[in-house]
Amino acid sequence: MKLTILGCHSATPRTNTNPTSQVLEIKNHMFLIDCGEGTQVELRRNKVKFSRIKHIFISHLHGDHYFGLIGLVNTFSLLTRETELHIYAPKGLKEVITLQMKLSASWTKYPLIFHELNAEVSELIYEDDKVEVHTIPLKHRIYTNGFLFKEKENERKLDINLVNEANIDVAYFRKLKQGFDVENEDGVLIANEKVTKDPIPAKSYAYCSDTVYNEAMIPLIKDATVLYHESTFLDKNEALCMSTKHSTAKHAATIAQKANVETLILGHYSTRYNGYDEFKTEAQTIFENVLLAKDGKSFEF
């Protein structure tokens, strides 16, 4: 599981800071999460192949999370894309994007499919044989979702030496990987655990930006491998959280601790601050395993 941060700052883009966007690579998928202004430039800078992006997830309709989308949609057309593009976003974004395409007479030549979200509770919005994606309802100034990306349980690993010793035909290897007991060539039932190893634990990534401190999300992200949680403010500016519906680094750390996640990544920093080490310092007073998002930085888990 690889996460590439294209932008991790709030509000407006600046010379050296980009608004929110990131790419998650999981089980051979490449998911784009939010699409702030400048996203396609950062995709190129980070050598991300445009053609691999087939699903885009937009958390909410504040501009720093989607103003880069129409440009990217149009660029896909200029690159003669033919593959479907699926966009999962709050109701209203389809109207915004299609109006821009209509007024500029720049309709896509590829299928552009919108999945409009308006549920107030968590829902499954994408699933295949490898991955599930669920919404995480957040509390912000407008309707907002985070997203939980979950690998499905991995198959068991064959111990090929033990499989051969047990005289099991290759035709049953698939059943063994799926956890079934099988008969060997002598008609003897072989217990699965005697010839296989436990699978690699499934991983999950919880993306939560933007939101005020919200313990309602904790059951949804419980035991996640990685949590990205907004930390717009330091503790000294906590008074701004209620009016803006944002969080501090300590708020993010508290959520991480209560949800028992393995790793917390902080991001969505206010550009009022000159550096970000203090975000990590404050968060680590509550939760130890803290990483700082940075434009252009990748993490592998």
Side-chain angles (χ1 to χ4, degrees):
M1 187 168 70
K2 180 180 178 181
L3 178 70
T4 300
I5 307 295
L6 305 177
C8 59
H9 296 81
S10 63
T12 60
R14 298 190 178 187
T15 305
N16 298 312
T17 63
N18 294 290
T20 301
S21 185
Q22 48 187 247
V23 171
L24 178 68
E25 296 178 63
I26 181 171
K27 289 291 188 181
N28 296 319
H29 289 288
M30 182 173 279
F31 296 133
L32 180 64
I33 310 170
D34 277 335
C35 190
E37 187 177 348
T39 291
Q40 63 177 307
V41 173
E42 293 306 310
L43 286 170
R44 293 186 187 279
R45 195 189 312 276
N46 289 278
K47 297 180 170 56
V48 176
K49 291 185 177 180
F50 284 27
S51 60
R52 288 193 61 198
I53 297 173
K54 299 175 183 176
H55 302 271
I56 299 176
F57 298 84
I58 303 297
S59 61
H60 64 296
L61 299 187
H62 281 158
D64 56 334
H65 293 259
Y66 84 95
F67 276 174
L69 184 58
I70 185 60
L72 184 61
V73 166
N74 187 61
T75 293
F76 283 150
S77 282
L78 295 175
L79 294 174
T80 65
R81 180 189 181 104
E82 297 180 354
T83 309
E84 290 181 351
L85 179 65
H86 294 260
I87 299 176
Y88 306 79
K91 186 175 182 179
L93 184 61
K94 178 180 179 180
E95 181 181 358
V96 171
I97 298 299
T98 53
L99 178 60
Q100 289 176 301
M101 291 190 296
K102 175 183 176 181
L103 296 178
S104 62
S106 55
W107 298 105
T108 62
K109 297 180 178 63
Y110 59 88
L112 181 60
I113 303 166
F114 287 89
H115 304 263
E116 296 190 294
L117 308 176
N118 58 13
E120 299 290 342
V121 296
S122 179
E123 59 179 343
L124 176 67
I125 57 173
Y126 175 80
E127 182 180 20
D128 62 15
D129 60 339
K130 297 180 179 179
V131 177
E132 293 181 356
V133 184
H134 299 254
T135 57
I136 305 171
L138 302 178
K139 290 185 178 180
H140 194 40
R141 300 193 304 278
I142 60 174
Y143 176 74
T144 305
N145 287 303
F147 302 103
L148 178 65
F149 302 84
K150 297 172 59 177
E151 293 181 347
K152 292 194 173 179
E153 185 175 346
N154 293 302
E155 293 183 332
R156 297 188 64 81
K157 299 290 184 180
L158 299 183
D159 186 323
I160 198 64
N161 292 326
L162 293 177
V163 169
N164 290 334
E165 288 176 11
N167 199 27
I168 298 173
D169 189 273
V170 67
Y172 292 101
F173 284 9
R174 182 66 178 163
K175 285 288 187 181
L176 286 173
K177 289 181 178 181
Q178 293 173 340
F180 292 99
D181 299 337
V182 300
E183 288 188 355
N184 68 5
E185 295 189 23
D186 302 315
V188 177
L189 185 66
I190 306 298
N192 186 278
E193 63 269 18
K194 290 186 176 181
V195 293
T196 67
K197 299 176 182 179
D198 289 339
I200 298 172
K203 298 174 182 177
S204 58
Y205 174 62
Y207 170 83
C208 297
S209 184
D210 303 10
T211 186
V212 73
Y213 180 78
N214 176 23
E215 291 192 356
M217 73 172 72
I218 291 173
L220 302 177
I221 64 174
K222 191 74 173 175
D223 301 324
T225 309
V226 184
L227 166 64
Y228 175 94
H229 193 293
E230 74 124 288
S231 54
T232 306
F233 300 116
L234 291 172
D235 198 46
K236 63 187 177 183
N237 298 120
E238 184 182 9
L240 297 173
C241 289
M242 288 310 297
S243 59
T244 63
K245 294 296 187 289
H246 284 300
S247 300
T248 67
K250 283 187 176 181
H251 290 157
T254 302
I255 293 294
Q257 179 195 56
K258 292 187 174 185
N260 193 41
V261 305
E262 293 181 21
T263 301
L264 169 64
I265 301 177
L266 300 177
H268 200 264
Y269 317 111
S270 168
T271 51
R272 73 182 61 232
Y273 306 109
N274 294 322
Y276 305 108
D277 288 342
E278 196 172 349
F279 284 83
K280 184 174 183 179
T281 300
E282 289 193 357
Q284 284 183 322
T285 62
I286 296 170
F287 184 82
E288 179 61 29
N289 195 14
V290 178
L291 301 173
L292 293 177
K294 182 179 179 181
D295 294 3
K297 188 171 184 177
S298 291
F299 304 91
E300 294 195 28
F301 302 95

